[in-house]
Structures are given as structure tokens and as C-alpha cells.
């Protein structure tokens, strides 16, 4: 299992915020009053709000041939040097925004780590002016799980065991437009000096104890919360999915009742936050499924009820959404967010019914108009006499036939 370094994500939690969540809202609206229940569970003290910019989804990268190695030693203070000869640098994504150069050769291409493995690196991060903003002698994380900066997730898979490399990354693959208060300004490119120390297969989920599963799933969930706060809902969904896979994996270890309860609690939090992320991306079918999974375990979960009602409302299913929101409001009558959403839906439903009524009236015609009765009156003089005439003719012919038969017998 990943070490405590994994919890740090993009740096330590106290500075980068990767292991924390925003502060809870007022008691009447524990999820959010500004974003309609969108703040996530178990949230710690919130730092000063900044404008959040949407980060790009994690880009994948093929494994190119090993970059050319240099016999020369790193230049003095080389970690802060700008890229030199283009042939010495590997353009990882082909965009020029993420480059890697080998400083100390490794043990061969076959020693490169694989996605899903737990890797340990030595990390030194610097601004363009050479200011060191982070140092970690042994940062451990799961490669490919988005536990750290995208620049690291993309480039560490290209390192050979024992290799030391220099990575120059655009802000897009580091801390983006938000930066990291107080040491990394917005839109700051970073230079990363990285040495690959170890790589090993991730622990077998089937052999983890209940406590270990809870801890690992919570780290992935907290990473998802970090991405959610950054408005990167694609990566948030990825982290929540990983956490749910950990919780749902088979186990060869018996769990105590308390551990089972903890696992269910983490599962419900992940599903609720997953639904919130899916709703942000307008993935209504997936969000509805996530809400229903929560309600299977906890039928009176207010967050799941609220989000399910909101999903149905987004799909125009006001008749189904209103009773669900009423059920949520009954559980928490003082919640102003539910009140506001319910009032809005009731009005929309009334408007929808008025529109439907008017549409049906135009389709079927207005019974009070003079045109319809006139058509009926026009029809009656023709239809009724013909019916009577037909009947009278049949009776007359029957009478004639009967007279003929009687006359023939006589």
C-alpha cells in the first residue's frame, strides 16, 4: 500500500490542499448553500476562496524509446537551468509543454515502472527562478491513479530505475491557474528534479484488512475531492471510481462489524460525490444510478434524495422529482436549499402543465366553439334518416315475403 506520501498528492496537504476538503456549510444546509449541496463530506477548515479554473483531463502518453543519455554530469545548479539542445530533451506530449531530460542514466528500459505499481521517488520542485518550493526524499504514490501532479504521473512512467531526470512542465500539468498558496503563484511553470528509487506491485486488495481498505479508499476519495474543488470533474470521477473499486473488491480477510460499517460509510460518500461530479458534467443517467445505489443502502440519505430530485428535474421529470424533494425536505424541514429547489420545481411543473393543456386544446379543438356543433348538426340530418329509411325498407320487404308465403300455403 502507498505510504503516507501518497496522501500528500500535489505536495503536502497543508499547502496543496490535496488531502483536504472544503469546510462544511451551515447546519441547515450541510452540503452547500451556494452550489446546491455540492460541497463534499467530512470537510475541514476552508482556506480563502480563489477562482477555480478547470484543469485539463489527464493525458496519456505512449512509451517512446529511451531518451539519449548524457555522459556529462548535471550542470551546477542544473535543476533550474532552462532546456538547452532540443535533442537532449524528450517532448513527452509533443506539445512542448512537458519535457524530460536524463541527468543520471538508469538501469535500462526494462526497469521502467508500470501503471498501477506503487513507486517511490525523490522529488525537488522549483520555480523558474530556481526557488525551491518542495522537497521530498521519498514520495510514494500509485502510478497512473492521478495521486500526484500530472507532470509526475506522465513522466515517472518513462524513468528507468535509479535514473535522475529533469522535468520542465507548464502550469497546465502542475497547479494550473490557481497555483498553490503561498509559495506557487498562478500559472507557474515548474522544474522538477526526480529520481526513481523503487517500484513494486500495489498490494493485493483481497489481502487487505478492513482498516487498510478504508484508509486506501479514503485517500482516493480525498484526491477526488481535490479535483472536484479544482472543477476538474473528469479526474474527480476517476478517483471516486478507483475508491469504489477498492471497496467493492473481493476479500479473503474477515472484517469486523465496525470495519464493515466504515467501508459502507466511505462507499456512500464516494457515490454521493460521484453523483455530484456526474451532475456537473450533465451525465444524468450515470448520476441517477449513483444516487439509487446510495438509496439502496440508505433510503433516507438526504444528499442522495436531493441529487436524485435534481437529476430528474434536469431531465424535465418534474412529477417524479417533486415527491423525492418533498421526502428530503420532510427529513430536514429547515434546509433552505431544498426549499428553494422544491419551490422552483413546483413552478416549473405548473408551467409545464399549462403548456401541455394549451397544446392539447389546439390539437383537439375547443369544444365551446361554434364550428364543432355545427358539424354535428350537419351530420345528423343525413345520417339518421338514412338509418331509418334502411330499417323501414327491410321491414317492408320482410312483410311482402311473409305475405307471399302465406298466400302460397293457402
Amino acid at each position: 500500500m502507498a505510504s503516507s506520501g501518497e496522501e500528500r498528492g500535489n505536495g503536502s496537504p497543508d499547502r496543496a490542499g490535496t488531502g483536504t476538503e472544503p469546510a462544511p456549510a451551515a447546519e441547515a444546509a450541510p452540503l452547500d448553500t451556494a452550489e446546491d449541496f455540492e460541497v463534499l463530506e467530512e470537510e475541514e477548515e476552508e482556506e480563502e476562496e480563489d477562482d477555480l479554473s478547470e484543469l485539463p483531463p489527464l493525458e496519456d502518453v505512449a512509451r517512446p524509446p529511451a531518451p539519449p543519455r548524457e555522459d556529462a554530469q548535471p550542470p551546477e545548479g542544473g535543476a533550474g537551468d532552462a532546456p538547452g539542445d532540443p535533442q537532449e530533451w524528450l517532448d513527452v506530449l509533443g506539445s512542448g509543454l512537458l519535457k524530460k531530460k536524463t541527468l543520471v542514466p538508469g538501469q535500462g528500459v526494462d526497469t521502467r515502472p508500470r501503471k498501477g505499481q506503487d513507486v517511490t521517488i525523490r522529488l525537488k520542485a522549483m520555480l523558474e527562478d530556481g526557488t525551491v518550493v518542495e522537497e521530498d526524499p521519498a514520495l510514494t504514490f500509485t502510478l497512473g491513479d492521478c495521486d500526484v501532479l500530472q507532470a509526475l504521473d506522465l513522466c515517472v512512467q518513462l524513468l528507468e530505475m535509479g535514473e535522475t531526470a529533469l522535468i520542465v512542465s507548464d502550469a497546465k500539468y502542475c497547479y494550473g491557474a490557481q497555483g498553490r498558496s503561498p509559495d506557487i503563484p498562478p500559472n507557474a511553470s515548474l522544474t522538477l528534479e526526480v529520481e526513481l528509487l523503487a517500484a513494486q506491485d500495489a498490494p493485493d486488495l483481497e489481502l487487505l484488512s478492513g482498516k487498510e481498505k478504508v484508509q486506501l479508499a479514503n485517500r482516493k476519495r480525498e484526491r477526488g475531492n481535490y479535483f472536484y474543488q479544482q472543477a476538474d470533474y473528469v479526474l474527480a470521477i476517476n478517483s471516486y471510481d478507483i475508491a469504489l473499486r477498492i471497496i467493492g473488491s473481493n476479500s479473503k480477510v474477515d472484517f469486523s462489524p465496525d470495519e464493515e460499517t466504515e467501508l459502507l460509510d466511505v462507499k456512500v460518500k464516494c457515490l454521493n460525490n460521484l453523483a455530484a461530479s456526474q451532475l456537473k458534467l450533465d451525465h444524468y443517467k450515470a448520476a441517477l444510478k449513483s444516487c439509487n445505489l446510495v438509496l439502496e443502502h440508505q433510503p433516507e440519505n438526504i444528499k442522495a434524495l436531493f441529487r436524485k430530485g435534481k437529476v430528474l428535474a434536469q431531465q424535465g421529470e418534474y412529477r417524479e422529482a417533486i415527491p423525492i424533494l418533498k421526502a428530503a425536505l420532510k427529513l430536514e424541514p429547515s434546509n433552505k436549499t431544498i426549499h428553494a429547489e422544491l419551490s422552483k420545481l413546483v413552478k416549473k411543473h405548473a408551467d409545464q402543465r399549462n403548456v401541455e393543456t394549451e397544446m392539447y386544446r389546439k390539437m383537439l379543438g375547443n369544444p365551446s366553439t361554434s364550428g364543432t356543433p355545427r358539424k354535428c348538426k350537419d351530420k345528423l340530418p343525413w345520417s339518421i334518416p338514412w338509418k331509418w329509411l334502411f330499417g323501414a325498407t327491410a321491414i317492408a320487404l320482410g312483410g311482402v315475403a311473409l305475405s307471399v308465403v302465406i298466400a302460397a300455403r293457402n
Side-chain angles (χ1 to χ4, degrees), residues 295 299-309 324-325 327-328 331:
L295 296 172
E300 295 187 346
N301 187 289
I302 297 175
K303 297 175 184 179
L305 288 170
F306 177 84
R307 290 195 178 111
K308 182 176 181 179
I324 292 174
L325 289 180
L331 294 170

Side-chain angles (χ1 to χ4, degrees), residues 93-303:
L93 299 174
S95 61
L97 300 180
L98 185 62
K99 295 182 178 182
K100 168 190 171 290
K101 180 169 70 171
T102 298
L103 299 180
V104 178
Q107 300 171 13
V109 176
D110 293 340
T111 64
R112 287 176 174 173
R114 302 184 307 275
K115 286 186 177 181
Q117 287 188 314
D118 287 345
V119 297
T120 301
I121 63 171
R122 176 182 62 81
L123 173 66
K124 184 178 180 181
M126 292 147 289
L127 299 176
E128 289 180 300
D129 63 3
T131 303
V132 177
V133 292
E134 184 173 345
E135 285 190 272
D136 194 323
L139 172 63
T140 299
F141 59 94
T142 304
L143 188 60
D145 275 10
C146 307
D147 291 337
V148 290
L149 295 175
Q150 291 187 32
L152 290 175
D153 230 352
L154 292 168
C155 292
V156 169
Q157 60 186 292
L158 304 176
L159 295 180
E160 300 171 7
M161 189 60 59
E163 177 182 350
T164 298
L166 203 61
I167 298 169
V168 177
S169 174
D170 184 79
K172 179 179 182 181
Y173 303 106
C174 295
Y175 291 95
Q178 186 184 10
R180 187 186 71 181
S181 179
D183 51 356
I184 300 179
N187 298 310
S189 297
L190 289 183
T191 299
L192 310 172
E193 184 178 286
V194 182
E195 180 184 1
L196 180 59
L197 303 176
Q200 60 184 3
D201 291 339
D204 188 344
L205 297 179
E206 292 186 350
L207 301 179
L208 294 181
S209 67
K211 184 178 180 180
E212 289 172 328
K213 265 195 175 184
V214 168
Q215 291 174 343
L216 184 57
N218 261 327
R219 281 202 293 272
K220 304 301 182 182
R221 177 183 66 85
E222 289 165 0
R223 188 62 178 164
N225 294 353
Y226 167 77
F227 285 125
Y228 186 96
Q229 293 168 349
Q230 300 296 317
D232 194 335
Y233 307 116
V234 173
L235 290 185
I237 288 173
N238 177 71
S239 294
Y240 296 138
D241 279 338
I242 293 173
L244 289 169
R245 286 201 300 271
I246 293 169
I247 296 170
S249 61
N250 295 327
S251 181
K252 297 178 180 178
V253 180
D254 292 331
F255 300 154
S256 68
D258 288 343
E259 289 173 336
E260 293 281 7
T261 300
E262 282 187 85
L263 283 169
L264 179 59
D265 182 58
V266 177
K267 180 180 181 179
V268 166
K269 288 177 182 179
C270 288
L271 286 170
N272 260 326
N273 296 346
L274 179 62
S277 302
Q278 291 164 335
L279 189 56
K280 287 288 189 180
L281 296 175
D282 297 337
H283 295 171
Y284 300 131
K285 185 176 179 180
L288 189 61
K289 180 180 179 181
S290 299
C291 292
N292 286 334
L293 288 172
V294 173
L295 296 172
E296 285 180 11
H297 298 292
Q298 298 178 357
E300 295 187 346
N301 187 289
I302 297 175
K303 297 175 184 179

Side-chain angles (χ1 to χ4, degrees), residues 26-48:
E27 187 173 331
L31 304 177
D32 199 348
T33 54
E35 276 290 331
D36 293 339
F37 284 73
E38 300 305 342
V39 170
L40 310 178
E41 281 100 321
E42 299 243 338
E43 298 158 338
E44 300 178 4
E45 186 172 355
E46 185 177 6
E47 297 181 359
E48 185 177 353

Side-chain angles (χ1 to χ4, degrees), residues 381-400:
W382 290 98
S383 60
I384 295 178
W386 277 110
K387 290 179 181 179
W388 281 103
L389 180 60
F390 179 78
T393 302
I395 293 173
L397 291 174
V400 171

